[in-house]
Amino acid sequence: AQSELQGRFDDLIGADERIEPRDWMPEAYRKTLVRQIAQHAHSEIIGMQPEGNWITRAPSLRRKAILLAKVQDEAGHGLYLYAAAETLGVDRADLLDALHTGRQKYSSIFNYPTLTWADIGAIGWLVDGAAIINQIPLQRCSYGPYARAMVRICKEESFHQRQGFELLHDLAHGTPEQHAMAQDALDRWWWPSLMMFGPPDAESAHSAQSMAWRIKRHSNDELRQRFVDISVPQAEALGLRIPDPDLRWNEERGHHDFGVIDWTEFQEVLAGNGPCNRQRVASRVQAHEDGEWVREAALAYAAKHSDKGVA
Ligand code: 3HC
């Protein structure tokens, strides 16, 4: 009975095996996966807005083509992840409604404005770089559909990160004004990128359970530290200065020490008071309403053809 099912589930998790949609799973495991996968998907589609803002103003056709491809990829990642969430028995329309009404979150990072073209480079380099560090371990997540979605998403994310780094490298090695623009973008995007990894481990509500269920493979602070250690030499290669006076290599730790993160800013952004929260959700709701006719047409088409194929 239930205890047998729980035992089998625990054995699968303990053996680092995959849980598939048809396997029995504790309701709390299913709920936390719906929460995380849905919010991951919401992050991808909201993330299209700050970048989309620059598609019509890209400085060259090549840059415009790259940015178009990246924004389209983010949409695809969102659809991929909504499909993964639906394997848990939830309906995509309900997840979108939860996003639109603030009952579900999206990544804090997308509540900041993209003020200059250099921000597009900073997002690719830092935000997609952070996303990669967070998503690589998720390829080994215990829930099959989520782990498999991550494999393809990580491949595309590395192109996103590389094009952002290259964009910033061009600017940082361009005119003094371009260098200043690149440095200004790093100054504004560095600390919010560290916050992407979530609250400190001591204040993380879900980490212990998520790690026990092998959904989360590394803690928030561990991945944040990995991101800092990887970013320092990259900033040096760019010739840009990371805006943290406390950043320094710590030989005995074998990691970089870094300054204190402003967690009140993080909590404010999560509470909906970031620079762009209202605008991001309003644009999302508007896009959803503007797309009503597409959903109606698709449903009408499906209804008209549903009798087809009946023997
Ligand atoms: N932004 C918004 N909310 C955040 C957050 C952030 N950066 N970090 C944490 N939170 C929320 C959590 O969702 C949770 O709230 P909830 O209970 O309402 O869901 C609360 O803060 C406590 O945080 P925990 O650390 O306890 O929560 P988790 O164990 O879920 O860890 C996480 C947070 C590390 C973000 C984890 O959910 C995760 O790995 N999610 C998948 C990755 C993801 O969502 N990435 C989005 C990045 S952007 C992106 O991928 C687009 C790319 O293409 C640029």
Side-chain angles (χ1 to χ4, degrees), residues 101-303:
T101 55
R103 285 180 288 115
Q104 279 185 338
K105 299 178 166 73
Y106 56 91
S107 189
S108 50
I109 192 69
F110 295 122
N111 289 304
Y112 293 84
T114 44
L115 302 176
T116 74
W117 173 249
D119 288 31
I120 298 303
I123 287 178
W125 171 42
L126 294 172
V127 175
D128 287 81
I132 288 170
I133 287 177
N134 165 281
Q135 289 167 171
I136 285 176
L138 284 172
Q139 292 174 121
R140 292 184 296 114
C141 161
S142 57
Y143 187 58
Y146 193 27
R148 289 189 290 273
M150 280 301 118
V151 173
R152 164 151 162 212
I153 287 176
C154 283
K155 284 197 179 70
E156 292 176 342
E157 215 75 281
S158 54
F159 145 66
H160 298 171
Q161 200 263 358
R162 206 182 319 279
Q163 63 82 35
F165 182 83
E166 187 215 21
L167 188 162
L168 271 190
H169 192 274
D170 290 351
L171 289 177
H173 294 81
T175 64
E177 293 78 11
Q178 287 175 323
H179 183 91
M181 194 163 72
Q183 182 60 58
D184 164 59
L186 174 51
D187 292 347
R188 286 184 286 105
W189 287 91
W190 175 253
W191 292 100
S193 297
L194 297 192
M195 295 175 202
M196 277 175 73
F197 292 94
D201 293 349
E203 283 139 56
S204 168
H206 302 292
S207 282
Q209 183 60 73
S210 279
M211 292 179 89
W213 279 331
R214 295 190 178 184
I215 295 169
K216 186 178 276 189
R217 309 291 297 213
H218 301 280
S219 77
N220 298 358
D221 288 332
E222 240 179 288
L223 291 182
R224 193 179 350 262
Q225 179 66 66
R226 195 175 292 182
F227 174 72
V228 172
D229 290 340
I230 281 177
S231 303
V232 169
Q234 290 173 348
E236 278 156 19
L238 290 172
L240 297 176
R241 182 188 32 72
I242 289 177
D244 177 359
D246 300 321
L247 183 67
R248 66 176 55 78
W249 176 252
N250 180 321
E251 193 51 43
E252 35 297 4
R253 283 184 61 226
H255 293 291
H256 291 84
D257 294 338
F258 54 93
V260 176
I261 294 173
D262 177 357
W263 292 111
T264 48
E265 176 179 331
F266 177 72
Q267 290 308 337
E268 275 301 290
V269 172
L270 259 62
N273 306 321
C276 302
N277 293 55
R278 273 180 283 286
Q279 168 191 341
R280 297 286 185 243
V281 175
S283 305
R284 168 87 282 278
V285 171
Q286 186 61 54
H288 189 70
E289 286 166 2
D290 291 352
E292 182 65 33
W293 69 272
V294 177
R295 290 190 291 280
E296 280 167 7
L299 288 171
Y301 181 83

